[in-house]
Amino acid sequence: MTAPLAAEPTAADRRRWARYLVEERAEGTVYQRLAARRMGEERDILLRLADAERRHEQHWLDLLGGEPARLPRAGVRSRLLGWMAGRFGSIFVLALAQSAEARSPYDAEQYATPAMRADEKVHSEVVRGLAARGRRRLSGSFRAAVFGANDGLVSNLALVLGIGATGVSSGFVLFSGIAGLLAGALSMGAGEFVSVRSQRELLAATEANEDAAASAHDLDIDENELALVYRARGADPEEALAKARRIVTAAQAGVRRTATGPIRTHGDVHEVVGSDWTAAISSFLLFASGAIIPVLPWIFGLQGAAAVILALVLVGVALLSTGAMVGILSGGPPLRRALRQLAIGFGAAAITYLLGLLFGVGAV
C-alpha cells in the first residue's frame, strides 16, 4: 500500500524516489543472482527476498507515476554487489549485503510505508542468518588461510628487517628471507600434518564398531548388555535399554537395525577433520605465499633503504587486504580490522628491526 502523501512532492522528493527505485532493483538483482547459484532452502529464501525488493520497487514506481524517462545509476556498493553476485555468489556478497541492509534509509523517509520499514529490518536479520551459515562453513578453512598467510607475512618481514638492520649484505638478507620462508612453511606443513593425523588417530581409537550389534540376534531381549553400549555413549539407562530392545527385536525378526539404524556411522567419520596431507600442503603453500612478499625487493635486486621501504609497502598492502577481508566476513568495520592487522604486523617488525640495530651496533 502506498503511504499517504504528507505534502505535495517536490522535485527533490521525486529524485529521491528514483534513487530508491534503482537501489531496490539493484538489491533484487543481487538476490536473484545469488539464488541462481544456490539450491534448496537458501535458494527459496533469496528468491523471496528478491520478491520483497520488487514490491518496494513497485511502491516507488507508483509514486513516480510510472517509469521515469531518466533514472540515476545505482550506488557503487550496489553495483559491486551485483557484479560479485553474478560471478562469485560467495559469502563475501552476503556479508556486504548484510551491512547494506542494516543501513536502511526508510526509517527517516516519510513516503515509505511501515511495512517497508519492517521489511528492511527483517531483511537485515535474514541476510545475517544466511551469512552466518556461510561463515560457519567457511570458518575453519578461512581461519587457516588467514593465519597461514598472515604468519608468513609478519614473521618473514620481521626476519628480513631484523637481519638487514644488523648491517649485513643484501645477499645475506635474501638468503635469510628464503631460509625463513622454507623453514616456516615446512614447520607449518609438518605441524598441520601431525595435528590432523593425531586427531584422526584419536577419533579412530574412540570409534564404535559393529561387533556388539552383529550378535544382537543371540541376545536375551530383556536381559542383555547391549544397553551398556549406549549407556557408555551417554544415554540414560531407560533410553539405552529401549534402544537395545528395539535392536534385539529387529535382529531376531530377521530385519537387521530397521528400528534404529547402525550403531556406527557409515562413511568417512573423519570428514570434519580433513586429510592430513591436504592440511599439510595447504598450510605450506599459504605460509609460503605470505612469506615470499617481504623478500621480493631483494629477489629483484634492490638493496638498503629502497628494499626495506618496498617490503614495507608490499606487506602493508597485504596486511590491509587480509584485515579488511576479515572485517567484511565478520560483519565488522573493514577499515578498523585492516588497521589493526597493519599495526600488529608492523609492530612485530619494528621490534625485530630495533633488536637488529642493537646487535649491529654491538658487533661494531
Side-chain angles (χ1 to χ4, degrees), residues 34-54:
L34 287 174
R37 304 177 70 89
R38 282 168 168 74
M39 300 177 63
E41 185 182 33
E42 287 192 19
R43 175 184 173 84
D44 182 59
I45 291 171
L46 288 164
L47 288 175
R48 288 176 181 269
L49 288 175
D51 289 341
E53 302 297 351
R54 280 193 288 271

Side-chain angles (χ1 to χ4, degrees), residues 24-199:
E24 294 289 1
R25 282 180 177 172
E27 290 176 12
T29 300
V30 169
Y31 293 134
Q32 286 179 317
R33 289 177 177 176
L34 287 174
R37 304 177 70 89
R38 282 168 168 74
M39 300 177 63
E41 185 182 33
E42 287 192 19
R43 175 184 173 84
D44 182 59
I45 291 171
L46 288 164
L47 288 175
R48 288 176 181 269
L49 288 175
D51 289 341
E53 302 297 351
R54 280 193 288 271
R55 291 197 302 271
H56 297 179
E57 175 190 338
Q58 188 61 48
H59 170 82
W60 301 118
L61 276 174
D62 291 342
L63 286 180
L64 288 165
E67 184 80 16
R70 295 184 60 185
L71 285 171
R73 295 188 69 189
V76 174
R77 178 188 289 267
S78 298
R79 296 202 305 273
L80 176 63
L81 282 175
W83 181 83
M84 292 177 67
R87 288 158 178 79
F88 305 111
S90 68
I91 177 58
F92 292 99
V93 181
L94 285 171
L96 288 169
Q98 174 189 335
S99 177
E101 290 285 3
R103 294 192 300 272
S104 171
Y106 293 162
D107 289 339
E109 175 54 65
Q110 63 174 330
Y111 291 97
T113 66
M116 291 171 66
R117 297 188 188 99
D119 279 349
E120 292 299 315
K121 289 181 172 58
V122 171
H123 290 181
S124 177
E125 291 306 310
V126 172
V127 175
R128 184 195 304 275
L130 292 175
R133 289 187 181 189
R135 289 186 183 107
R136 284 193 292 270
R137 289 194 294 263
L138 189 63
S139 60
S141 58
F142 181 70
R143 182 204 63 81
V146 170
F147 174 72
N150 193 69
D151 193 19
L153 280 167
V154 175
S155 64
N156 229 27
L157 176 66
L159 175 64
V160 295
L161 291 189
I163 293 294
T166 63
V168 298
S169 67
S170 59
F172 191 83
V173 175
L174 174 60
F175 172 79
S176 300
I178 298 298
L181 183 157
L182 291 174
L186 289 169
S187 175
M188 286 283 291
E192 280 294 313
F193 180 88
V194 172
S195 174
V196 174
R197 174 62 66 87
S198 298
Q199 192 170 357

Side-chain angles (χ1 to χ4, degrees), residues 182-255:
L182 291 174
L186 289 169
S187 175
M188 286 283 291
E192 280 294 313
F193 180 88
V194 172
S195 174
V196 174
R197 174 62 66 87
S198 298
Q199 192 170 357
R200 290 174 69 90
E201 290 172 349
L202 180 63
L203 287 174
T206 58
E207 182 182 332
N209 61 54
E210 297 189 45
D211 292 344
S215 303
H217 61 280
D218 294 324
L219 293 173
D220 187 295
I221 194 168
D222 293 315
E223 298 292 337
N224 67 74
E225 295 178 348
L226 186 58
L228 299 180
V229 175
Y230 294 108
R231 292 179 64 182
R233 296 177 191 173
D236 59 56
E238 292 78 9
E239 181 186 4
L241 184 58
K243 286 184 177 181
R245 283 176 174 170
R246 286 199 297 271
I247 286 181
V248 172
T249 300
Q252 291 178 344
V255 184

Side-chain angles (χ1 to χ4, degrees), residues 228-278:
L228 299 180
V229 175
Y230 294 108
R231 292 179 64 182
R233 296 177 191 173
D236 59 56
E238 292 78 9
E239 181 186 4
L241 184 58
K243 286 184 177 181
R245 283 176 174 170
R246 286 199 297 271
I247 286 181
V248 172
T249 300
Q252 291 178 344
V255 184
R256 193 167 179 257
R257 299 184 191 83
T258 54
T260 60
I263 293 179
R264 76 186 288 250
T265 303
H266 288 291
D268 187 4
V269 297
H270 304 141
E271 183 179 359
V272 68
V273 180
S275 164
D276 41 20
W277 279 107
T278 300

Side-chain angles (χ1 to χ4, degrees), residues 285-331:
L285 294 176
L286 286 167
F287 184 96
S289 67
I292 192 65
I293 293 176
V295 190
L296 288 175
W298 284 273
I299 290 177
F300 288 102
L302 293 181
Q303 301 179 17
V308 170
I309 292 172
L310 182 56
L312 289 171
V313 170
L314 293 174
V315 173
V317 171
L319 289 172
L320 288 171
S321 300
T322 56
M325 196 180 304
V326 170
I328 291 171
L329 284 177
S330 65

